[in-house]
Amino acid sequence: MKLILLGAPGAGKGTQADILSKKLGISTISTGNILRAAMKNGTPVGLRAKEYVESGKLVPDEVVIGIVQERLAEKDCAGGYILDGMPRTIPQAEALERGGIDIDCALSIEVEDAVIVERMSGRRTCPDCGASFHIKANPPKAEGICDNCGAALTIRRDDAPETVRDRLATYHAETEPLKAFYAERGKLKTVDNQPTIEATTAEIEKALGL
């Protein structure tokens, strides 16, 4: 199965992608993780991306598309994949199609803006492996420590409330139109956010017929 996860920043795409990846036995391709690795390593692409991410803006299409195409060409994506964070604009979606990258379903997780702002203020991210936690909804086993690699968790600058509001405005203007794009192709499914991660997962599985 080849999936795209849509939804506002902080909608829970990364968490649900991890769950689906294990259930379906396919890789999750998180453009956020790829870009964060590049930023941490100080690569030319990473330095370019960092300027955009920290100001709440979208990374340019040519940077993201090149990274994704290279990643999808790897062996672990041959049997399917989940795209988390890509495409973010209609031109990106069109570029994926031109590149021969087809998907079975675009799944949109619907969450109100006010909920997003509250949720992201409690988010903690691992700077080493990219794992994401939340102090209420998905806390680490040890406070402030990543379950996966033991690194100290951090609050990303782009999770600050004023930056989140800017990111939401960008999402509604540039990314939300993708829902109509995939609906026209008969590939859109929507799921309303639920009070718990497990309940949201159940709704996603129902939508996908799993």
Side-chain angles (χ1 to χ4, degrees):
M1 184 178 286
K2 298 174 182 178
L3 295 173
I4 286 173
L5 291 185
L6 299 175
K13 299 184 297 297
T15 298
Q16 295 299 333
D18 287 343
I19 295 169
L20 283 171
S21 172
K22 290 172 184 153
K23 182 176 182 67
L24 297 171
I26 57 179
S27 295
T28 297
I29 311 304
S30 169
T31 53
N33 287 348
I34 295 170
L35 290 169
R36 276 192 287 276
M39 287 189 285
K40 183 185 174 187
N41 295 331
T43 66
V45 171
L47 292 174
R48 281 187 66 195
K50 188 173 184 178
E51 296 177 12
Y52 290 89
V53 170
E54 289 189 346
S55 62
K57 296 178 182 177
L58 294 177
V59 179
D61 289 355
E62 66 272 15
V63 176
V64 180
I65 289 168
I67 290 173
V68 170
Q69 286 180 318
E70 287 180 358
R71 181 67 184 86
L72 294 185
E74 296 181 19
K75 289 182 179 179
D76 64 324
C77 293
Y81 49 80
I82 302 168
L83 275 180
D84 172 18
M86 169 74 183
R88 287 189 172 180
T89 63
I90 287 177
Q92 283 185 356
E94 292 171 341
L96 287 178
E97 288 186 344
R98 287 195 302 272
I101 297 169
D102 194 20
I103 58 120
D104 299 312
C105 174
L107 182 77
S108 178
I109 303 173
E110 305 291 314
V111 189
E112 294 179 2
D113 284 6
V115 175
I116 292 288
V117 174
E118 180 181 357
R119 177 183 294 179
M120 292 181 75
S121 65
R123 189 159 73 168
R124 302 292 182 268
T125 304
C126 178
D128 288 352
C129 73
S132 184
F133 300 88
H134 192 278
I135 57 175
K136 291 182 180 179
N138 182 34
K141 293 174 184 174
E143 185 177 347
I145 302 297
C146 177
D147 290 354
N148 298 337
C149 69
L153 299 176
T154 60
I155 301 173
R156 284 164 47 189
R157 189 177 302 177
D158 52 331
D159 283 344
E162 61 275 14
T163 308
V164 172
R165 292 186 185 96
D166 288 342
R167 293 174 70 198
L168 285 169
T170 300
Y171 166 76
H172 291 307
E174 300 188 23
T175 305
E176 201 163 30
L178 283 169
K179 291 197 290 186
F181 179 89
Y182 286 112
E184 289 171 1
R185 287 153 175 75
K187 295 182 177 181
L188 178 72
K189 294 183 185 295
T190 60
V191 170
D192 288 331
N193 181 62
Q194 302 298 312
T196 66
I197 291 172
E198 293 78 12
T200 302
T201 301
E203 287 300 304
I204 288 172
E205 291 179 350
K206 190 187 304 179
L208 295 176
L210 301 177

